[in-house]
PDB file of all heavy atoms in Angstrom:
ATOM      1  N   GLY A1439       4.814   3.794  -7.995  1.00 94.00           N
ATOM      2  CA  GLY A1439       5.262   2.852  -9.118  1.00 94.00           C
ATOM      3  C   GLY A1439       4.753   1.446  -8.901  1.00 94.00           C
ATOM      4  O   GLY A1439       3.642   1.269  -8.315  1.00 94.00           O
ATOM      5  N   HIS A1440       5.450   0.563  -9.375  1.00 90.00           N
ATOM      6  CA  HIS A1440       5.094  -0.869  -9.430  1.00 90.00           C
ATOM      7  C   HIS A1440       4.754  -1.332  -7.978  1.00 90.00           C
ATOM      8  O   HIS A1440       5.478  -1.176  -6.919  1.00 90.00           O
ATOM      9  CB  HIS A1440       6.268  -1.696  -9.887  1.00 90.00           C
ATOM     10  CG  HIS A1440       6.082  -3.230  -9.849  1.00 90.00           C
ATOM     11  ND1 HIS A1440       4.946  -3.785 -10.502  1.00 90.00           N
ATOM     12  CD2 HIS A1440       6.805  -4.245  -9.391  1.00 90.00           C
ATOM     13  CE1 HIS A1440       5.128  -5.180 -10.292  1.00 90.00           C
ATOM     14  NE2 HIS A1440       6.184  -5.447  -9.594  1.00 90.00           N
ATOM     15  N   ARG A1441       3.579  -1.930  -7.706  1.00 90.00           N
ATOM     16  CA  ARG A1441       3.102  -2.419  -6.490  1.00 90.00           C
ATOM     17  C   ARG A1441       2.819  -1.348  -5.500  1.00 90.00           C
ATOM     18  O   ARG A1441       2.869  -1.505  -4.334  1.00 90.00           O
ATOM     19  CB  ARG A1441       4.127  -3.562  -5.972  1.00 90.00           C
ATOM     20  CG  ARG A1441       4.137  -4.661  -6.713  1.00 90.00           C
ATOM     21  CD  ARG A1441       4.841  -5.931  -5.918  1.00 90.00           C
ATOM     22  NE  ARG A1441       6.169  -5.577  -5.535  1.00 90.00           N
ATOM     23  CZ  ARG A1441       6.987  -6.412  -4.822  1.00 90.00           C
ATOM     24  NH1 ARG A1441       6.515  -7.579  -4.598  1.00 90.00           N
ATOM     25  NH2 ARG A1441       8.231  -6.048  -4.548  1.00 90.00           N
ATOM     26  N   GLY A1442       2.608  -0.063  -6.000  1.00 94.00           N
ATOM     27  CA  GLY A1442       2.329   0.987  -5.052  1.00 94.00           C
ATOM     28  C   GLY A1442       1.016   1.007  -4.610  1.00 94.00           C
ATOM     29  O   GLY A1442       0.766   0.593  -3.445  1.00 94.00           O
ATOM     30  N   PRO A1443       0.031   1.327  -5.307  1.00 96.00           N
ATOM     31  CA  PRO A1443      -1.384   1.226  -4.821  1.00 96.00           C
ATOM     32  C   PRO A1443      -1.680  -0.198  -4.699  1.00 96.00           C
ATOM     33  O   PRO A1443      -1.274  -1.127  -5.395  1.00 96.00           O
ATOM     34  CB  PRO A1443      -2.296   1.842  -5.890  1.00 96.00           C
ATOM     35  CG  PRO A1443      -1.312   2.633  -6.768  1.00 96.00           C
ATOM     36  CD  PRO A1443      -0.011   1.825  -6.738  1.00 96.00           C
ATOM     37  N   GLY A1444      -2.697  -0.511  -3.779  1.00 96.00           N
ATOM     38  CA  GLY A1444      -3.195  -1.866  -3.579  1.00 96.00           C
ATOM     39  C   GLY A1444      -4.549  -2.033  -3.041  1.00 96.00           C
ATOM     40  O   GLY A1444      -4.733  -1.288  -2.048  1.00 96.00           O
ATOM     41  N   TYR A1445      -5.246  -2.894  -3.549  1.00 96.00           N
ATOM     42  CA  TYR A1445      -6.545  -3.151  -2.972  1.00 96.00           C
ATOM     43  C   TYR A1445      -6.267  -4.535  -2.253  1.00 96.00           C
ATOM     44  O   TYR A1445      -5.918  -5.529  -2.884  1.00 96.00           O
ATOM     45  CB  TYR A1445      -7.721  -3.414  -4.072  1.00 96.00           C
ATOM     46  CG  TYR A1445      -9.039  -3.956  -3.405  1.00 96.00           C
ATOM     47  CD1 TYR A1445      -9.753  -3.251  -2.573  1.00 96.00           C
ATOM     48  CD2 TYR A1445      -9.445  -5.212  -3.810  1.00 96.00           C
ATOM     49  CE1 TYR A1445     -10.920  -3.601  -2.004  1.00 96.00           C
ATOM     50  CE2 TYR A1445     -10.537  -5.680  -3.277  1.00 96.00           C
ATOM     51  CZ  TYR A1445     -11.370  -4.877  -2.388  1.00 96.00           C
ATOM     52  OH  TYR A1445     -12.569  -5.403  -1.887  1.00 96.00           O
ATOM     53  N   ILE A1446      -6.710  -4.622  -0.925  1.00 96.00           N
ATOM     54  CA  ILE A1446      -6.229  -5.645  -0.014  1.00 96.00           C
ATOM     55  C   ILE A1446      -7.407  -6.299   0.759  1.00 96.00           C
ATOM     56  O   ILE A1446      -8.226  -5.637   1.134  1.00 96.00           O
ATOM     57  CB  ILE A1446      -5.159  -5.132   0.948  1.00 96.00           C
ATOM     58  CG1 ILE A1446      -3.955  -4.500   0.116  1.00 96.00           C
ATOM     59  CG2 ILE A1446      -4.669  -6.298   1.933  1.00 96.00           C
ATOM     60  CD1 ILE A1446      -3.172  -3.558   0.925  1.00 96.00           C
ATOM     61  N   THR A1447      -7.415  -7.559   0.801  1.00 96.00           N
ATOM     62  CA  THR A1447      -8.246  -8.364   1.783  1.00 96.00           C
ATOM     63  C   THR A1447      -7.498  -9.059   2.775  1.00 96.00           C
ATOM     64  O   THR A1447      -6.485  -9.631   2.494  1.00 96.00           O
ATOM     65  CB  THR A1447      -9.199  -9.295   0.973  1.00 96.00           C
ATOM     66  OG1 THR A1447      -8.355 -10.074   0.096  1.00 96.00           O
ATOM     67  CG2 THR A1447     -10.124  -8.442   0.093  1.00 96.00           C
ATOM     68  N   ASP A1448      -7.963  -8.986   4.028  1.00 96.00           N
ATOM     69  CA  ASP A1448      -7.329  -9.657   5.141  1.00 96.00           C
ATOM     70  C   ASP A1448      -7.864 -11.184   5.346  1.00 96.00           C
ATOM     71  O   ASP A1448      -8.769 -11.507   4.649  1.00 96.00           O
ATOM     72  CB  ASP A1448      -7.386  -8.894   6.385  1.00 96.00           C
ATOM     73  CG  ASP A1448      -8.757  -8.789   6.990  1.00 96.00           C
ATOM     74  OD1 ASP A1448      -9.745  -9.477   6.466  1.00 96.00           O
ATOM     75  OD2 ASP A1448      -8.948  -8.125   8.042  1.00 96.00           O
ATOM     76  N   PRO A1449      -7.376 -11.926   6.248  1.00 95.00           N
ATOM     77  CA  PRO A1449      -7.876 -13.255   6.451  1.00 95.00           C
ATOM     78  C   PRO A1449      -9.417 -13.253   6.754  1.00 95.00           C
ATOM     79  O   PRO A1449     -10.026 -14.465   6.462  1.00 95.00           O
ATOM     80  CB  PRO A1449      -7.046 -13.776   7.599  1.00 95.00           C
ATOM     81  CG  PRO A1449      -5.812 -12.985   7.577  1.00 95.00           C
ATOM     82  CD  PRO A1449      -6.167 -11.559   7.135  1.00 95.00           C
ATOM     83  N   GLN A1450      -9.988 -12.277   7.185  1.00 95.00           N
ATOM     84  CA  GLN A1450     -11.420 -12.190   7.488  1.00 95.00           C
ATOM     85  C   GLN A1450     -12.107 -11.710   6.294  1.00 95.00           C
ATOM     86  O   GLN A1450     -13.325 -11.323   6.400  1.00 95.00           O
ATOM     87  CB  GLN A1450     -11.757 -11.480   8.751  1.00 95.00           C
ATOM     88  CG  GLN A1450     -11.375 -12.144  10.042  1.00 95.00           C
ATOM     89  CD  GLN A1450      -9.834 -12.133  10.233  1.00 95.00           C
ATOM     90  OE1 GLN A1450      -9.185 -11.090  10.031  1.00 95.00           O
ATOM     91  NE2 GLN A1450      -9.325 -13.202  10.757  1.00 95.00           N
ATOM     92  N   ASP A1451     -11.478 -11.402   5.200  1.00 95.00           N
ATOM     93  CA  ASP A1451     -12.030 -10.935   3.979  1.00 95.00           C
ATOM     94  C   ASP A1451     -12.433  -9.448   4.114  1.00 95.00           C
ATOM     95  O   ASP A1451     -13.235  -8.992   3.373  1.00 95.00           O
ATOM     96  CB  ASP A1451     -13.111 -11.775   3.356  1.00 95.00           C
ATOM     97  CG  ASP A1451     -13.472 -11.679   1.888  1.00 95.00           C
ATOM     98  OD1 ASP A1451     -12.365 -11.354   1.192  1.00 95.00           O
ATOM     99  OD2 ASP A1451     -14.498 -11.719   1.333  1.00 95.00           O
ATOM    100  N   GLN A1452     -11.845  -8.660   4.896  1.00 95.00           N
ATOM    101  CA  GLN A1452     -12.099  -7.254   5.151  1.00 95.00           C
ATOM    102  C   GLN A1452     -11.320  -6.603   4.183  1.00 95.00           C
ATOM    103  O   GLN A1452     -10.088  -6.760   4.055  1.00 95.00           O
ATOM    104  CB  GLN A1452     -11.905  -6.790   6.547  1.00 95.00           C
ATOM    105  CG  GLN A1452     -12.818  -7.518   7.653  1.00 95.00           C
ATOM    106  CD  GLN A1452     -14.199  -7.057   7.438  1.00 95.00           C
ATOM    107  OE1 GLN A1452     -14.526  -5.947   7.296  1.00 95.00           O
ATOM    108  NE2 GLN A1452     -15.038  -8.103   7.409  1.00 95.00           N
ATOM    109  N   PRO A1453     -11.830  -5.489   3.550  1.00 95.00           N
ATOM    110  CA  PRO A1453     -11.072  -4.733   2.430  1.00 95.00           C
ATOM    111  C   PRO A1453     -10.348  -3.676   3.026  1.00 95.00           C
ATOM    112  O   PRO A1453     -10.714  -2.958   4.044  1.00 95.00           O
ATOM    113  CB  PRO A1453     -12.224  -4.290   1.527  1.00 95.00           C
ATOM    114  CG  PRO A1453     -13.389  -4.016   2.411  1.00 95.00           C
ATOM    115  CD  PRO A1453     -13.312  -5.004   3.494  1.00 95.00           C
ATOM    116  N   PHE A1454      -9.209  -3.371   2.351  1.00 96.00           N
ATOM    117  CA  PHE A1454      -8.374  -2.140   2.681  1.00 96.00           C
ATOM    118  C   PHE A1454      -7.808  -1.626   1.427  1.00 96.00           C
ATOM    119  O   PHE A1454      -7.790  -2.232   0.342  1.00 96.00           O
ATOM    120  CB  PHE A1454      -7.063  -2.532   3.546  1.00 96.00           C
ATOM    121  CG  PHE A1454      -7.427  -3.086   4.918  1.00 96.00           C
ATOM    122  CD1 PHE A1454      -7.686  -4.298   5.208  1.00 96.00           C
ATOM    123  CD2 PHE A1454      -7.464  -2.315   6.056  1.00 96.00           C
ATOM    124  CE1 PHE A1454      -8.090  -4.899   6.466  1.00 96.00           C
ATOM    125  CE2 PHE A1454      -7.653  -2.657   7.364  1.00 96.00           C
ATOM    126  CZ  PHE A1454      -7.977  -4.012   7.508  1.00 96.00           C
ATOM    127  N   PHE A1455      -7.453  -0.331   1.459  1.00 97.00           N
ATOM    128  CA  PHE A1455      -6.807   0.314   0.381  1.00 97.00           C
ATOM    129  C   PHE A1455      -5.466   0.984   0.879  1.00 97.00           C
ATOM    130  O   PHE A1455      -5.474   1.541   1.945  1.00 97.00           O
ATOM    131  CB  PHE A1455      -7.658   1.299  -0.293  1.00 97.00           C
ATOM    132  CG  PHE A1455      -7.759   1.221  -1.775  1.00 97.00           C
ATOM    133  CD1 PHE A1455      -8.977   0.825  -2.384  1.00 97.00           C
ATOM    134  CD2 PHE A1455      -6.697   1.331  -2.592  1.00 97.00           C
ATOM    135  CE1 PHE A1455      -9.088   0.763  -3.769  1.00 97.00           C
ATOM    136  CE2 PHE A1455      -6.805   1.127  -4.009  1.00 97.00           C
ATOM    137  CZ  PHE A1455      -7.985   0.917  -4.568  1.00 97.00           C
ATOM    138  N   ARG A1456      -4.456   0.868   0.051  1.00 97.00           N
ATOM    139  CA  ARG A1456      -3.174   1.450   0.423  1.00 97.00           C
ATOM    140  C   ARG A1456      -2.599   2.209  -0.700  1.00 97.00           C
ATOM    141  O   ARG A1456      -2.979   1.947  -1.924  1.00 97.00           O
ATOM    142  CB  ARG A1456      -2.175   0.393   0.826  1.00 97.00           C
ATOM    143  CG  ARG A1456      -1.471  -0.341  -0.242  1.00 97.00           C
ATOM    144  CD  ARG A1456      -0.085  -1.055   0.197  1.00 97.00           C
ATOM    145  NE  ARG A1456       0.470  -1.410  -0.969  1.00 97.00           N
ATOM    146  CZ  ARG A1456       1.255  -2.486  -0.989  1.00 97.00           C
ATOM    147  NH1 ARG A1456       1.552  -3.142   0.018  1.00 97.00           N
ATOM    148  NH2 ARG A1456       1.912  -2.946  -2.204  1.00 97.00           N
ATOM    149  N   GLU A1457      -1.671   3.106  -0.385  1.00 98.00           N
ATOM    150  CA  GLU A1457      -0.751   3.775  -1.384  1.00 98.00           C
ATOM    151  C   GLU A1457       0.593   3.753  -0.866  1.00 98.00           C
ATOM    152  O   GLU A1457       0.796   3.835   0.327  1.00 98.00           O
ATOM    153  CB  GLU A1457      -1.335   5.217  -1.691  1.00 98.00           C
ATOM    154  CG  GLU A1457      -0.394   5.955  -2.676  1.00 98.00           C
ATOM    155  CD  GLU A1457      -0.400   5.437  -4.077  1.00 98.00           C
ATOM    156  OE1 GLU A1457       0.325   4.385  -4.242  1.00 98.00           O
ATOM    157  OE2 GLU A1457      -0.943   5.994  -5.039  1.00 98.00           O
ATOM    158  N   GLN A1458       1.554   3.529  -1.751  1.00 97.00           N
ATOM    159  CA  GLN A1458       2.895   3.749  -1.420  1.00 97.00           C
ATOM    160  C   GLN A1458       3.571   4.823  -2.344  1.00 97.00           C
ATOM    161  O   GLN A1458       3.737   4.587  -3.542  1.00 97.00           O
ATOM    162  CB  GLN A1458       3.725   2.442  -1.589  1.00 97.00           C
ATOM    163  CG  GLN A1458       3.278   1.373  -0.534  1.00 97.00           C
ATOM    164  CD  GLN A1458       4.224   0.082  -0.696  1.00 97.00           C
ATOM    165  OE1 GLN A1458       4.605  -0.195  -1.735  1.00 97.00           O
ATOM    166  NE2 GLN A1458       4.294  -0.657   0.404  1.00 97.00           N
ATOM    167  N   LEU A1459       4.044   5.889  -1.605  1.00 98.00           N
ATOM    168  CA  LEU A1459       4.691   7.035  -2.430  1.00 98.00           C
ATOM    169  C   LEU A1459       6.091   6.784  -2.264  1.00 98.00           C
ATOM    170  O   LEU A1459       6.688   6.535  -1.149  1.00 98.00           O
ATOM    171  CB  LEU A1459       4.140   8.409  -1.937  1.00 98.00           C
ATOM    172  CG  LEU A1459       2.648   8.613  -2.206  1.00 98.00           C
ATOM    173  CD1 LEU A1459       2.286  10.015  -1.747  1.00 98.00           C
ATOM    174  CD2 LEU A1459       2.304   8.495  -3.777  1.00 98.00           C
ATOM    175  N   GLU A1460       6.967   7.200  -3.376  1.00 97.00           N
ATOM    176  CA  GLU A1460       8.299   7.109  -3.331  1.00 97.00           C
ATOM    177  C   GLU A1460       8.903   8.011  -2.278  1.00 97.00           C
ATOM    178  O   GLU A1460       8.585   9.241  -2.178  1.00 97.00           O
ATOM    179  CB  GLU A1460       8.957   7.366  -4.745  1.00 97.00           C
ATOM    180  CG  GLU A1460       8.363   6.387  -5.742  1.00 97.00           C
ATOM    181  CD  GLU A1460       8.734   6.774  -7.147  1.00 97.00           C
ATOM    182  OE1 GLU A1460       9.312   7.815  -7.420  1.00 97.00           O
ATOM    183  OE2 GLU A1460       8.400   6.108  -8.100  1.00 97.00           O
ATOM    184  N   LEU A1461       9.940   7.634  -1.689  1.00 96.00           N
ATOM    185  CA  LEU A1461      10.783   8.378  -0.804  1.00 96.00           C
ATOM    186  C   LEU A1461      12.206   8.445  -1.254  1.00 96.00           C
ATOM    187  O   LEU A1461      12.861   7.417  -1.423  1.00 96.00           O
ATOM    188  CB  LEU A1461      10.822   7.824   0.612  1.00 96.00           C
ATOM    189  CG  LEU A1461      11.323   8.591   1.832  1.00 96.00           C
ATOM    190  CD1 LEU A1461      10.395   9.690   2.023  1.00 96.00           C
ATOM    191  CD2 LEU A1461      11.361   7.691   3.009  1.00 96.00           C
ATOM    192  N   GLY A1462      12.677   9.710  -1.447  1.00 94.00           N
ATOM    193  CA  GLY A1462      14.022   9.839  -2.198  1.00 94.00           C
ATOM    194  C   GLY A1462      15.197   9.799  -1.162  1.00 94.00           C
ATOM    195  O   GLY A1462      14.983   9.770   0.021  1.00 94.00           O
ATOM    196  N   ILE A1463      16.402   9.649  -1.598  1.00 94.00           N
ATOM    197  CA  ILE A1463      17.571   9.621  -0.839  1.00 94.00           C
ATOM    198  C   ILE A1463      17.724  11.029  -0.158  1.00 94.00           C
ATOM    199  O   ILE A1463      17.659  12.027  -0.837  1.00 94.00           O
ATOM    200  CB  ILE A1463      18.871   9.241  -1.625  1.00 94.00           C
ATOM    201  CG1 ILE A1463      18.692   7.889  -2.219  1.00 94.00           C
ATOM    202  CG2 ILE A1463      20.149   9.444  -0.834  1.00 94.00           C
ATOM    203  CD1 ILE A1463      19.800   7.575  -3.212  1.00 94.00           C
ATOM    204  N   GLY A1464      17.976  11.104   1.115  1.00 95.00           N
ATOM    205  CA  GLY A1464      17.954  12.273   1.894  1.00 95.00           C
ATOM    206  C   GLY A1464      16.651  13.027   2.126  1.00 95.00           C
ATOM    207  O   GLY A1464      16.641  14.162   2.506  1.00 95.00           O
ATOM    208  N   GLU A1465      15.563  12.362   1.863  1.00 97.00           N
ATOM    209  CA  GLU A1465      14.282  12.920   2.068  1.00 97.00           C
ATOM    210  C   GLU A1465      13.733  12.708   3.388  1.00 97.00           C
ATOM    211  O   GLU A1465      13.953  11.549   3.909  1.00 97.00           O
ATOM    212  CB  GLU A1465      13.270  12.468   0.917  1.00 97.00           C
ATOM    213  CG  GLU A1465      11.853  13.025   1.099  1.00 97.00           C
ATOM    214  CD  GLU A1465      10.900  12.592  -0.048  1.00 97.00           C
ATOM    215  OE1 GLU A1465      11.410  11.887  -0.891  1.00 97.00           O
ATOM    216  OE2 GLU A1465       9.820  13.111   0.007  1.00 97.00           O
ATOM    217  N   TYR A1466      13.281  13.635   4.000  1.00 97.00           N
ATOM    218  CA  TYR A1466      12.680  13.578   5.400  1.00 97.00           C
ATOM    219  C   TYR A1466      11.307  14.004   5.433  1.00 97.00           C
ATOM    220  O   TYR A1466      10.772  14.825   4.789  1.00 97.00           O
ATOM    221  CB  TYR A1466      13.605  14.529   6.370  1.00 97.00           C
ATOM    222  CG  TYR A1466      14.946  14.096   6.447  1.00 97.00           C
ATOM    223  CD1 TYR A1466      15.909  14.875   5.773  1.00 97.00           C
ATOM    224  CD2 TYR A1466      15.426  12.972   7.097  1.00 97.00           C
ATOM    225  CE1 TYR A1466      17.333  14.538   5.763  1.00 97.00           C
ATOM    226  CE2 TYR A1466      16.690  12.582   7.094  1.00 97.00           C
ATOM    227  CZ  TYR A1466      17.697  13.337   6.525  1.00 97.00           C
ATOM    228  OH  TYR A1466      18.984  13.058   6.458  1.00 97.00           O
TER     229      TYR A1466
END
């Protein structure tokens, strides 16, 4: 959802990619 995937640069301008997937109540 909102702010899930992200293209990221760190203080040295190195690139990263992330994903955030939803975790439900009672999910393990």
